Amino acid sequence: MCETQAFFPGTGICKELEDHALLLWLTQEGAESLNRSFHVLEYCRVSSMASAPTSKYNSHSLENESIKRTSRDGVNRDLSEAVPRLPGETRITDKEVIYICPFNGPIKGRVYITNYRLYLRSLETPIFAFLNEEKFNVDGWTVYNPVEEYRRQGLPNHHWRITFINKCYELCDTYPALLVVPYRASDDDLRRVATFRSRNRIPVLSWIHPENKTVIVRCSQPLVGMSGKRNKDDEKYLDVIRETNRQISKLTIYDARPNVNAVANKATGGGYESDDAYHNAELFFLDIHNIHVMRESLKKVKDIVYPNVEESHWLSSLESTHWLEHIKLVLTGAIQVADKVSSGKSSVLVHCSDGWDRTAQLTSLAMLMLDSFYRSIEGFEILVQKEWISFGHKFASRIGHGDKNHADADRSPIFLQFIDCVWQMSKQFPTAFEFNERFLITILDHLYSCRFGTFLYNCESAREKQKVTERTISLWSLINSNKDKFKNPFYTKEINRVLYPVASMRHLELWVNYYIRWNPRIKQQQPNPVEQRYVELLALRDEYIQRLEELQLASSAKLSDPSTSPSGPSQMMPHVHTHF
């Protein structure tokens, strides 16, 4: 393979590639010898499906060249590469290269060399979400509006304000543009605090209790390091958060990591809030393991459920995966957060290392326990959009959309664990959630499907740059256009009821309908007959109510029409009472 530098000198005039295709026009010195220098005359964007190049060359008729090549195994393969050629232009050769684009980084592709030019085509396949042309009667991108969601929580108020300091993602490129911070903290204070928090992810509000005004705040670890560095601005900022609800007790900090991991992170510049630096805070470690441990645990689950399930050793095999132990620790941590806030004893700050994995699990689950709004279909969609998508959970890295490197160390089932925890809660509180199991499975299916743009990319700034809301469809469009399919028939709306699930191993179970549904040897669980009958009765009730309303309307119309009024007492119809 030829050196990339010889092909693409660093001229710095390359525009951002569209569809990863680049057309380079050469001088007449030509492409016969790659060792001779060449001069780039013009860069043009070309769609990978185009039959002609752009701009003034559109007037020329082009041919599509189908290239046959003998592969390494000696088999002739028709690559069917649609390479546009001018009349008289002939192909000399082609090579696989890696183009180092100054804007997009390395792009693996094949460069085609003709007697006139170089033509680079990416070997990467475009994600389907950008090609999806489905139509729905609901626009899922309008589900979440951060201003409206904070307004629902009663914000801003005298103690908390909305700031647009991050509107261009300059303060923190993995945070949303809109943030809620203490009223007493200026934007300059926020900038100073950002220098002491990993990835500049400062403490910001996620949720405020409607009555006692305690809050859930999320952030990343402080940059303490081995030398035990301190930052007076960060220490003061946490004290301001503590004082927002006039609490006398200390601010509670839940560090999601095991203690030993938090100590080890000091070696890489991270760390935790020590007692000697943060006098008005108390710190608790929740012992939730990192992304690598979770990834290996899920691999073990896969091994015991596919292709064979050994029922004779099922319990011991399941125990060896430690999957339910991890679910237990996540739920236990979220319960502690919810209980502390619900009791009004203290506001809570939650973080892990960078604040986009375990932190999101804890804040979103605690909010689900505390706020019944998030247990509705729309509310849950808002919760996911807010705490996971807008606050920068690295979906692209953790799921690996469009990446064939399945051994990537950044992959981890963090969001899957969260949905599993939600399912565990729905099993323990069958009437508390408006959505059913199908709703949760559909979310997980399209977490991986790349059919919708909802979970693409790592953060809001990247999605905005790629214009995801304009170029793709939201998953919520699919769900909200047919909500009845995803509704729980037993749902009973309850306001201000706090849910505390039992997070013991005896009350947790493997989600068979999700993890083992594709195993052909396992008979799929049939729908609950009681639930089915209940759905049927609800449908029958709705039918009778509709018929009753139609009869009442028809009766009212007859009574109001003088031409149909009865002429005597003997012709009057008796009044009918119907009871349901």
Side-chain angles (χ1 to χ4, degrees), residues 271-339:
Y272 54 90
E273 297 83 356
S274 60
D275 295 337
D276 55 341
Y278 297 86
H279 304 294
N280 292 321
E282 53 183 350
L283 176 68
F284 300 93
F285 294 100
L286 298 179
D287 297 323
I288 303 172
H289 290 280
N290 61 30
I291 62 172
H292 312 294
V293 174
M294 302 308 182
R295 179 178 61 249
E296 294 306 312
S297 179
L298 183 64
K299 283 182 180 178
K300 292 177 181 177
V301 172
K302 177 260 177 190
D303 290 340
I304 69 168
V305 301
Y306 195 91
N308 298 308
V309 175
E310 295 187 18
E311 296 185 18
S312 59
H313 302 93
W314 171 250
L315 293 178
S316 60
S317 298
L318 180 59
E319 183 180 5
S320 68
T321 68
H322 303 292
W323 182 254
L324 292 181
E325 292 178 31
H326 298 316
I327 296 294
K328 171 190 173 183
L329 288 171
V330 173
L331 277 173
T332 300
I335 290 169
Q336 292 184 57
V337 173
D339 184 56

Side-chain angles (χ1 to χ4, degrees), residues 96-148:
E96 283 192 4
V97 298
I98 296 179
Y99 167 51
I100 308 299
C101 175
F103 298 96
N104 289 344
I107 297 175
K108 186 177 180 180
R110 181 170 292 278
V111 64
Y112 299 91
I113 307 167
T114 75
N115 59 348
Y116 177 53
R117 56 185 167 175
L118 298 180
Y119 182 90
L120 175 69
R121 167 153 296 142
S122 169
L123 297 180
E124 299 173 356
T125 304
I127 292 177
F128 178 73
F130 293 102
L131 307 174
N132 189 357
E133 297 182 357
E134 290 180 275
K135 304 295 182 184
F136 297 98
N137 56 15
V138 177
D139 181 7
W141 292 122
T142 64
V143 164
Y144 176 57
N145 181 308
V147 174
E148 291 180 3

Side-chain angles (χ1 to χ4, degrees), residues 365-543:
L365 284 171
M367 291 159 68
L368 193 67
M369 296 173 190
L370 290 164
D371 194 334
S372 60
F373 170 71
Y374 296 125
R375 298 171 215 151
S376 67
I377 290 177
E378 180 184 349
F380 190 81
E381 294 168 351
I382 289 173
L383 181 66
V384 171
Q385 285 285 158
K386 179 179 180 296
E387 290 300 297
W388 289 87
I389 297 172
S390 74
F391 270 101
H393 175 64
K394 299 172 66 177
F395 282 103
S397 299
R398 298 294 178 256
I399 306 302
H401 296 132
D403 184 4
K404 296 179 181 179
N405 181 17
H406 300 291
D408 189 345
D410 277 343
R411 296 197 184 187
S412 190
I414 302 301
F415 186 74
L416 165 59
Q417 274 189 323
F418 160 68
I419 296 294
D420 195 326
C421 289
V422 175
W423 179 80
Q424 302 285 349
M425 289 178 61
S426 70
K427 292 287 288 183
Q428 295 189 26
F429 301 97
T431 65
F433 297 87
E434 184 185 18
F435 48 83
N436 56 21
E437 182 183 57
R438 176 182 286 181
F439 174 79
L440 299 176
I441 292 178
T442 299
I443 291 175
L444 289 179
D445 282 349
H446 294 298
L447 170 67
Y448 297 94
S449 73
C450 292
R451 177 178 163 188
F452 301 98
T454 305
F455 300 115
L456 297 184
Y457 300 102
N458 283 333
C459 57
E460 185 177 290
S461 61
R463 294 182 196 97
E464 194 168 292
K465 180 180 178 181
Q466 297 297 331
K467 300 181 179 179
V468 169
T469 58
E470 300 174 23
R471 300 170 59 201
T472 70
I473 302 167
S474 168
L475 168 60
W476 315 131
S477 299
L478 168 74
I479 290 175
N480 294 346
S481 63
N482 189 10
K483 274 189 178 180
D484 289 341
K485 182 179 177 181
F486 303 101
K487 283 186 176 179
N488 169 22
F490 300 117
Y491 173 60
T492 303
K493 187 174 182 179
E494 295 179 285
I495 307 298
N496 298 330
R497 179 193 177 192
V498 180
L499 303 183
Y500 291 118
V502 180
S504 69
M505 296 300 290
R506 289 185 301 171
H507 291 81
L508 302 178
E509 57 184 284
L510 187 72
W511 190 1
V512 173
N513 280 358
Y514 179 72
Y515 296 109
I516 318 186
R517 58 179 169 153
W518 302 123
N519 192 314
R521 297 176 177 83
I522 299 296
K523 184 178 180 182
Q524 293 298 304
Q525 294 184 4
Q526 298 299 319
N528 188 328
V530 176
E531 180 177 337
Q532 271 192 320
R533 181 57 180 159
Y534 188 68
V535 171
E536 292 170 359
L537 290 172
L538 288 177
L540 192 62
R541 181 200 65 179
D542 293 340
E543 181 184 344

Side-chain angles (χ1 to χ4, degrees), residues 558-568 571-572:
K558 287 182 179 181
L559 291 173
S560 60
D561 187 353
S563 63
T564 60
S565 298
S567 57
Q571 293 178 289
M572 294 186 65

Side-chain angles (χ1 to χ4, degrees), residues 187-248:
D187 284 355
D188 286 337
D189 292 332
L190 302 181
R191 292 186 183 95
R192 288 190 292 268
V193 172
T195 64
F196 195 65
R197 289 284 164 174
S198 177
R199 314 282 183 173
N200 292 356
R201 293 172 67 90
I202 64 172
V204 293
L205 182 144
S206 282
W207 189 80
I208 184 169
H209 196 283
E211 297 172 0
N212 61 45
K213 303 305 177 184
T214 54
V215 296
I216 298 176
V217 174
R218 63 180 296 169
C219 62
S220 61
Q221 64 181 335
L223 301 178
V224 176
M226 293 297 291
S227 60
K229 289 186 292 186
R230 293 181 59 175
N231 184 297
K232 293 295 183 182
D233 294 298
D234 191 78
E235 295 166 19
K236 178 183 176 182
Y237 184 70
L238 263 59
D239 214 36
V240 170
I241 292 174
R242 181 185 68 86
E243 294 171 350
T244 54
N245 68 326
R246 302 191 180 122
Q247 72 180 59
I248 302 175

Side-chain angles (χ1 to χ4, degrees), residues 23-25 53 61-63 65 83-92 112-119:
L23 188 65
L24 300 101
W25 304 87
S61 62
L62 299 178
E63 301 172 31
E65 178 180 19
V83 178
R85 290 186 297 142
L86 292 165
E89 183 181 7
T90 58
R91 182 179 65 85
I92 296 175
Y112 299 91
I113 307 167
T114 75
N115 59 348
Y116 177 53
R117 56 185 167 175
L118 298 180
Y119 182 90

